[in-house]
Amino acid sequence: MQIGPHLLRNNVFVAPMAGVTDRPFRQLCKELGAGYAVSEMAASNPRLWATEKSSRRTDHTGEMEPKAVQIAGADPQDLADCARFNVERGAQIIDINMGCPVKKVCNAWCGSALLQDEELVKRIVDAVVGAVDVPVTLKFRTGWDRENKNALNIARIAEDAGIAMLTLHGRTRADGYKGDAEYDTIAAVKKSVSIPVVANGDITSPEKARFVLDYTGADAVMVGRAAQGRPWIFREIDHYLRTGKHLPAPYVDEVRALMDEHLRGHYAFYGDYLGVRTARKHIGWYVRDLQGGEEFRQKMNLLESVEEQLLAVDQFFESQWTYGERLQYRLAEDLQAA
């Protein structure tokens, strides 16, 4: 799998997720087998470039290459300028967001709202591709709603403009994240273009990744919500795609060490005060399917210091030894009864 000059080690990618795929999490996913990761979306409005939030979102210091920045906006010139700004600061790939379904983003005529105006899509991709000398990719959805699916048109516009890779989420903007992703549109797009196509949406297991690749003919899969609290899913999928065999669940001690690494990197990135508070969601995701996880999460959310949080997490994973040397996920029926 290759994007421009960048040869990737596999075809299992991390989806850009606002408030989730910050630098510490992206780096951890890459260490655990992800072949590629894209930053959270950075606003194209130049007045926001110097804000602390924007600066953190585009911070790739020490990150495994290639370094990819996703940009979002509606003005072709602003997006072109934003692309140049980020390339000057080390971005090696620029990704254009036309997939976000969040209302506040779409109300600003950004994200998947752009799919309603194909002429504007053309002007944006032409402007961004022409502005930088690094590969430009596009992430988008199947259309605005199920009556207005235009992914094939968008894909052709993008390919004609010189877009290097397409990532297609198998839902419309109106679907949000509800219902099941569909893969027929992704398969149709793959057949209609000659550039790489990445399938996104409901990739939750190694078996699902294999099915989606076979069904769509896509070149890669992109994993989003399934990686929250389970970043080792990338090595599990990669191993299954290569061998047809499953890796066992990770050792408790390995996850204990990974949690410590992730949290310390998170605190260093955000500072102690904000770091403790933003780490809570990550910790909650890590423990949600483990014995005692929900009770622990509720208590952990009351802790206010780095030291308390680190100690509590360490003690929780120490307690998981009760159930075996490897993580023991509760069965679906246990979760439903809980």
Side-chain angles (χ1 to χ4, degrees):
M1 182 70 195
Q2 192 157 341
I3 307 174
H6 306 289
L7 181 64
L8 309 180
R9 58 179 173 164
N10 64 38
N11 61 343
V12 187
F13 301 168
V14 188
M17 295 175 280
V20 180
T21 47
D22 52 27
R23 190 188 73 203
F25 185 71
R26 291 194 306 272
Q27 185 68 359
L28 184 62
C29 291
K30 289 179 177 180
E31 291 173 6
L32 291 171
Y36 178 62
V38 184
S39 73
E40 307 167 79
M41 60 183 177
S44 63
N45 186 337
R47 290 174 295 181
L48 302 177
W49 294 351
T51 65
E52 186 176 359
K53 184 176 182 180
S54 291
S55 296
R56 272 200 302 264
R57 286 190 167 191
T58 57
D59 184 343
H60 290 262
T61 306
E63 185 176 347
M64 193 183 302
E65 296 184 354
K67 301 173 182 179
V69 172
Q70 186 180 80
I71 60 175
D75 181 86
Q77 189 57 55
D78 280 354
L79 284 160
D81 292 342
C82 183
R84 275 192 293 266
F85 176 84
N86 280 284
V87 169
E88 289 168 0
R89 282 151 185 78
Q92 296 167 304
I93 298 171
I94 295 293
D95 185 62
I96 304 172
N97 183 315
M98 293 189 189
C100 181
V102 176
K103 186 176 292 186
K104 69 177 181 180
V105 174
C106 289
N107 285 347
W109 204 251
C110 303
S112 53
L114 293 167
L115 302 177
Q116 297 174 94
D117 189 339
E118 293 181 7
E119 178 55 36
L120 179 56
V121 169
K122 182 180 186 308
R123 290 195 287 121
I124 286 172
V125 292
D126 283 342
V128 176
V129 170
V132 294
D133 58 2
V134 303
V136 178
T137 62
L138 175 68
K139 190 172 191 295
F140 65 122
R141 287 188 169 230
T142 56
W144 177 250
D145 56 33
R146 296 186 186 185
E147 289 69 47
N148 295 280
K149 289 186 178 181
N150 60 343
L152 285 172
N153 290 347
I154 299 296
R156 294 187 189 107
I157 290 168
E159 183 177 34
D160 289 345
I163 290 292
M165 183 180 77
L166 298 169
T167 299
L168 181 54
H169 186 125
R171 290 182 173 90
T172 68
R173 186 272 164 183
D175 291 329
Y177 295 101
K178 297 178 181 177
D180 296 327
E182 58 94 358
Y183 305 114
D184 289 329
T185 304
I186 299 176
V189 166
K190 174 57 187 172
K191 290 178 180 177
S192 73
V193 297
S194 60
I195 57 177
V197 173
V198 182
N200 178 221
D202 296 350
I203 313 293
T204 55
S205 68
E207 295 92 339
K208 188 63 173 291
R210 178 77 274 166
F211 166 79
V212 171
L213 286 170
D214 290 344
Y215 189 86
T216 63
D219 301 278
V221 289
M222 183 171 274
V223 181
R225 289 170 291 166
Q228 295 172 355
R230 200 167 177 167
W232 46 86
I233 193 173
F234 298 100
R235 73 182 181 195
E236 292 174 342
I237 292 175
D238 178 52
H239 182 81
Y240 185 81
L241 294 178
R242 288 185 291 105
T243 69
K245 298 178 181 179
H246 288 279
L247 286 175
Y251 287 105
V252 170
D253 281 351
E254 180 194 13
V255 176
R256 190 177 177 182
L258 286 171
M259 280 293 299
D260 189 74
E261 174 192 346
H262 186 184
L263 289 175
R264 290 182 187 277
H266 191 89
Y267 304 141
F269 190 66
Y270 288 99
D272 288 359
Y273 180 83
L274 186 58
V276 164
R277 284 148 184 82
T278 53
R280 288 170 181 161
K281 62 190 173 190
H282 285 282
I283 296 169
W285 290 326
Y286 277 106
V287 305
R288 63 186 166 191
D289 293 342
L290 300 174
Q291 295 288 347
E294 178 56 27
E295 180 183 3
F296 168 75
R297 187 189 66 81
Q298 292 181 18
K299 293 178 180 178
M300 181 273 304
N301 282 343
L302 301 176
L303 303 179
E304 298 285 344
S305 73
V306 164
E307 293 76 19
E308 289 176 312
Q309 208 172 62
L310 283 171
L311 179 61
V313 169
D314 186 69
Q315 290 176 340
F316 174 80
F317 281 99
E318 173 70 19
S319 75
Q320 294 300 298
W321 266 99
T322 304
Y323 311 105
E325 63 179 359
R326 294 183 182 273
L327 285 191
Q328 301 292 319
Y329 295 105
R330 289 187 289 169
L331 298 176
E333 53 267 29
D334 295 334
L335 293 172
Q336 290 170 0

